[in-house]
Amino acid sequence: MIAAADPFDYSWWLASRAAGIVAIVLLSASVALGLAMAGAQPRRPGMKVVLRRLHQYVALGGLIALVAHGALLLLDPWLQPGLTGILIPFTMDYRPLWTGLGIIAGWSVLVLGLTYWARNRIGAQRWKVIHRFTLLAYVFAIVHVLGAGTDASSVWLRVVLLAAVAPIPYFLVLRVFGRRPQRQPAQRPREAGASW
């Protein structure tokens, strides 16, 4: 008779996996919020401030979960990636291509996310250009989940990913194609008796 595996034998891996799933869901929400804010002007006064704060807090939560995802893997007795494996792309023995893309995505998201607090020093226009690379980092993160994730083929993870990713193409299309040209201010009618 074969004994069932004890979950405590791989609890660090389970914790890291959970943190990774939380990170990708929160980062997906943050990307969707960012694209939604950039693609449409809110109709209600004060809504832009609320959306910006929500975007900021969701992104920060995603960054915290991302750091936890990597840090918890350090304690995994089976994977044993070491600091090099966690911090330097393509050095981990486990699925090096997919984990490497995940590490690139992680560093990119961290650096790009933290530039929010330096945008006044960077300059608003330059920061906006830099911040657009967040979408590329996000794509790398999705590829990492699908390539390195041990649950990538499971239905439950695919449903979670689909739900998290689904709004992003819509908001991206709105962002790229949905902006209407700003109306020119109406010209004042000529005063009565004015000459042509």
Side-chain angles (χ1 to χ4, degrees), residues 76-133:
D76 181 19
W78 178 79
L79 192 61
Q80 299 180 0
L83 276 175
T84 302
I86 294 296
L87 300 177
I88 301 173
F90 312 111
T91 58
M92 191 182 297
D93 291 335
Y94 177 76
R95 299 182 184 176
L97 173 63
W98 308 119
T99 56
L101 289 174
I103 292 166
I104 290 171
W107 280 116
S108 301
V109 166
L110 277 170
V111 170
L112 292 167
L114 294 175
T115 61
Y116 175 79
W117 286 277
R119 68 190 184 286
N120 290 336
R121 287 184 173 207
I122 295 170
Q125 290 304 322
R126 191 174 298 136
W127 177 78
K128 284 180 182 180
V129 171
I130 292 168
H131 199 66
R132 288 182 183 148
F133 285 98

Side-chain angles (χ1 to χ4, degrees), residues 25-42 47-60 112-113 116 127-128 131-135 138 164-165 167-176 179:
V25 168
L26 290 175
L27 292 173
S28 297
S30 175
V31 168
L33 279 166
L35 288 170
M37 288 185 323
Q41 295 299 321
M47 194 61 169
K48 190 171 187 174
V49 173
V50 171
L51 287 175
R52 188 181 311 129
R53 284 187 182 151
L54 181 61
H55 173 59
Q56 177 185 348
Y57 295 138
V58 168
L60 188 57
L112 292 167
Y116 175 79
W127 177 78
K128 284 180 182 180
H131 199 66
R132 288 182 183 148
F133 285 98
T134 304
L135 193 57
Y138 174 72
V165 172
I168 293 173
Y170 170 76
F171 288 125
L172 182 60
V173 168
L174 277 183
R175 168 69 176 99
V176 174
R179 284 202 171 178

Side-chain angles (χ1 to χ4, degrees), residues 4-18 72-73 75-79 150-151:
D6 184 358
F8 289 108
D9 291 341
Y10 50 94
S11 57
W12 294 112
W13 174 77
L14 288 172
S16 174
R17 183 176 70 168
L72 290 165
L73 276 181
L75 302 169
D76 181 19
W78 178 79
L79 192 61
T150 53
D151 295 316

